[in-house]
């Protein structure tokens, strides 16, 4: 799905998909201190992934969907 979004012009979305899948794996398997399956090695690493993912989400919403946001949604986005 993320490749299709990139084809229609939403750039760098696959980065977010990769981060989300990495966090999904962490949710089910916990940390990967040995680096065997490519998940976050510890809680701090997972936290950094969450911050990066939210930052990218905020950029995408601001760039591609700004016209659809009402005042309430803009306030929520500002708090991300």
């Amino acid at each position: 799905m993320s490749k299709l979004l990139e084809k229609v012009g939403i750039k760098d979305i696959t980065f977010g998909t990769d981060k989300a899948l990495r966090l999904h794996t962490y949710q089910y398997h916990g940390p990967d201190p040995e680096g065997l399956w490519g998940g976050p090695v510890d809680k701090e690493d997972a936290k950094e992934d969450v911050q990066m993912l939210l930052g990218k989400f905020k950029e995408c919403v601001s760039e591609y969907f700004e016209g659809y946001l009402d005042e309430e949604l803009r306030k929520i986005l500002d708090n991300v």
Side-chain angles (χ1 to χ4, degrees):
M1 180 61 128
S2 62
K3 288 180 183 180
L4 291 173
L5 290 171
E6 291 219 11
K7 285 181 182 180
V8 298
I10 298 178
K11 55 187 173 209
D12 302 326
I13 197 73
T14 52
F15 161 83
T17 304
D18 291 342
K19 287 290 178 200
L21 288 172
R22 186 171 140 94
L23 288 166
H24 176 74
T25 304
Y26 176 78
Q27 176 186 5
Y28 283 96
H29 300 288
D32 180 25
E34 294 86 22
L36 299 176
W37 44 267
V41 297
D42 57 22
K43 187 176 181 177
E44 191 61 34
D45 192 24
K47 179 181 168 185
E48 290 173 8
D49 282 354
V50 169
Q51 289 172 330
M52 290 170 58
L53 185 60
L54 288 174
K56 187 62 181 171
F57 172 77
K58 187 174 181 177
E59 285 177 27
C60 284
V61 170
S62 295
E63 185 172 345
Y64 299 105
F65 303 103
E66 182 69 29
Y68 299 99
L69 301 178
D70 60 16
E71 189 61 34
E72 181 182 0
L73 292 174
R74 278 192 185 88
K75 286 180 184 178
I76 291 169
L77 188 62
D78 288 341
N79 289 323
V80 170

